[in-house]
Amino acid sequence: SAVGRGPEVPFRSEAYRISAVARGKELRLTLSALDPAAADPPQDLVFRFGMSGSFRLCPAAELPRHAHLRFLTRESPPRALCFVDPRRFGSWRLGDAWQPERGPCVVSEYQAFRGNVLKNLDDRAFDKPICEVLLNQKYFNGIGNYLRAEILYRLKIPPFEKARTVLEALKDQEQERKKDPSLTLSKKVKLRQESPDLLELCHTVPMEVIMAEKQLFDPEHSDNYAAFKNWLQCYLVPGMSSLRDRSGRTIWFQGEPGPMAPTGQRPRKTPHKKSPQLKADPEAPTPKVTPRALKQRRRAAAKPPKSEEKEEEKEEEAEGPRKGRARGRRKATAAPALPEPEVPLSVRRSRRTSARRGKG
């Protein structure tokens, strides 16, 4: 598109195929011509989705807003496969290389991912809370904000527990299992299924989302977000607590936050939805629905006798004009009064203000 920030794609072909491979939070598209004699070689594009990037297939005549890259079909009428990114946090680059600072994928390269974490526990990155380390794509490539909350919640791990403390226990446990001759391969598999550890859930929880993708994220289903919310157990769930970590991201959890929780913050509870009875409570005062005439009648009923009113005016004149937020409020409708000498505007305004304060 004309406003897209990504690089121009030099690939040109009358008919081509698109294939895709995912690795963690990156996706590589390969454009290859169907004609083997085509002059253009295959073109690779590596995408990062940011917070709002996605692909959408739609009629070419009805392109969505923020469709920054489009691949058109040859059918009639044509459709467009669009990279849509409203916030423009996503990006693409030419070439087939993955980002070098990203570790093995938690889904497609589980064993390499597990080994990469356990052999690097001396890294200073693991001095941080476990909730912050789970967003470090050098070790947890593919884990995002909602996944970390779901993983820690299932294991009842406080989000601000030190990462090395949590992961070193897994390392010791793994070594004990290797030394135990009574544990056969089938027993080890059964043990992992019954009581998975943190790194195993980093693989299985994303797999749950992938396997249920049609129900959770299919744009053809209008209730897809409702299905995703039903799948969530912790993230944005009413009754859960939340805190901001040191990178500014919000983590949802249950129970105590942990010893490394940021100071100066108090956990916030995700509110429950208000019941219809509270909204329809007739006892609750609702100023918006109070008729204006009813207000005026109430003021008239509460108006003091004229003798008391004159004494109040004398006191206000002695005090002088008052300053405050009430000066900027809507002026009350003045009641008919007896003729009186002309007084300065500031004093008249002060009288009205004091009268409202006294009756309020």
Side-chain angles (χ1 to χ4, degrees):
S1 72
V3 296
R5 298 179 180 177
E8 188 73 23
V9 181
F11 181 81
R12 295 290 182 273
S13 177
E14 289 297 323
Y16 58 96
R17 177 183 291 108
I18 301 179
S19 57
V21 178
R23 184 176 183 268
K25 287 194 171 187
E26 292 185 297
L27 180 74
R28 181 169 65 208
L29 297 188
T30 300
L31 317 179
S32 52
L34 296 181
D35 184 3
D40 281 2
Q43 176 67 61
D44 292 302
L45 305 171
V46 177
F47 287 81
R48 295 174 62 186
F49 292 89
M51 294 183 68
S52 60
S54 64
F55 277 97
R56 193 178 306 173
L57 186 63
C58 58
E62 301 175 8
L63 292 176
R65 293 185 63 188
H66 311 289
H68 299 303
L69 195 62
R70 305 107 181 231
F71 304 95
L72 302 177
T73 66
R74 300 186 69 186
E75 59 192 338
S76 182
R79 290 185 294 170
L81 178 66
C82 305
F83 177 64
V84 182
D85 186 18
R87 294 189 178 185
R88 299 192 187 186
F89 290 164
S91 62
W92 69 87
R93 62 183 184 278
L94 305 179
D96 62 350
W98 305 110
Q99 276 190 314
E101 65 271 19
R102 289 182 179 266
C105 176
V106 297
V107 172
S108 60
E109 303 168 300
Y110 170 66
Q111 291 300 333
F113 149 71
R114 187 180 183 91
N116 184 47
V117 172
L118 294 180
K119 74 180 182 182
N120 288 294
L121 291 180
D122 293 334
D123 193 331
R124 293 177 60 185
F126 295 98
D127 292 337
K128 298 180 179 180
I130 185 63
C131 66
E132 296 179 13
V133 175
L134 284 174
L135 296 183
N136 187 338
Q137 301 301 296
K138 181 179 179 181
Y139 296 107
F140 294 88
N141 186 12
I143 301 299
N145 203 21
Y146 81 91
L147 286 173
R148 68 170 177 171
E150 295 299 313
I151 292 167
L152 294 175
Y153 170 77
R154 295 189 187 193
L155 294 172
K156 308 304 178 187
I157 296 176
F160 291 95
E161 185 67 58
K162 192 174 183 178
R164 187 177 291 107
T165 303
V166 175
L167 295 169
E168 278 183 343
L170 303 186
K171 190 175 182 179
D172 297 339
Q173 192 178 50
E174 191 170 87
Q175 291 175 351
E176 290 176 3
R177 289 180 182 179
K178 289 180 179 179
K179 294 177 182 179
D180 191 350
S182 63
L183 287 178
T184 61
L185 180 60
S186 59
K187 288 184 179 179
K188 290 179 180 179
V189 172
K190 184 179 179 180
L191 190 61
R192 287 177 179 176
Q193 290 175 347
E194 292 175 350
S195 56
D197 60 33
L198 176 70
L199 298 180
E200 287 165 348
L201 284 187
C202 287
H203 171 72
T204 57
V205 174
M207 284 299 297
E208 288 181 18
V209 181
I210 293 171
M211 298 304 292
E213 181 180 3
K214 283 294 181 183
Q215 290 78 23
L216 298 183
F217 296 111
D218 190 351
E220 298 298 327
H221 293 79
S222 58
D223 58 345
N224 59 336
Y225 186 64
F228 177 63
K229 287 182 68 177
N230 292 334
W231 176 83
L232 293 171
Q233 300 180 28
C234 178
Y235 182 79
L236 290 176
V237 173
M240 296 296 166
S241 301
S242 65
L243 279 173
R244 286 189 179 273
D245 61 22
R246 289 169 180 81
S247 61
R249 305 292 300 275
T250 302
I251 174 69
W252 276 262
F253 60 94
Q254 186 180 51
E256 293 298 322
M260 300 184 71
T263 57
Q265 288 192 57
R266 296 181 64 183
R268 295 183 178 182
K269 285 279 187 180
T270 305
H272 293 272
K273 290 184 178 179
K274 294 182 179 179
S275 62
Q277 294 179 352
L278 293 178
K279 292 183 179 179
D281 186 2
E283 299 296 330
T286 51
K288 292 184 179 179
V289 297
T290 303
R292 187 174 181 180
L294 183 59
K295 288 184 178 180
Q296 293 176 350
R297 285 197 295 269
R298 287 176 178 172
R299 291 196 192 104
K303 189 175 180 181
K306 291 182 180 180
S307 58
E308 295 179 8
E309 187 175 334
K310 288 182 179 180
E311 292 178 1
E312 183 183 8
E313 289 176 358
K314 291 179 181 177
E315 293 176 359
E316 290 168 2
E317 289 178 3
E319 291 174 359
R322 296 187 181 180
K323 296 181 181 180
R325 294 175 59 189
R327 294 186 64 182
R329 295 173 183 166
R330 179 175 54 85
K331 294 181 179 180
T333 304
L338 296 174
E340 58 182 6
E342 186 67 19
V343 294
L345 177 62
S346 59
V347 175
R348 281 182 283 168
R349 188 183 294 117
S350 174
R351 292 174 182 175
R352 289 193 295 268
T353 302
S354 299
R356 284 200 300 270
R357 286 177 179 169
K359 293 170 184 176

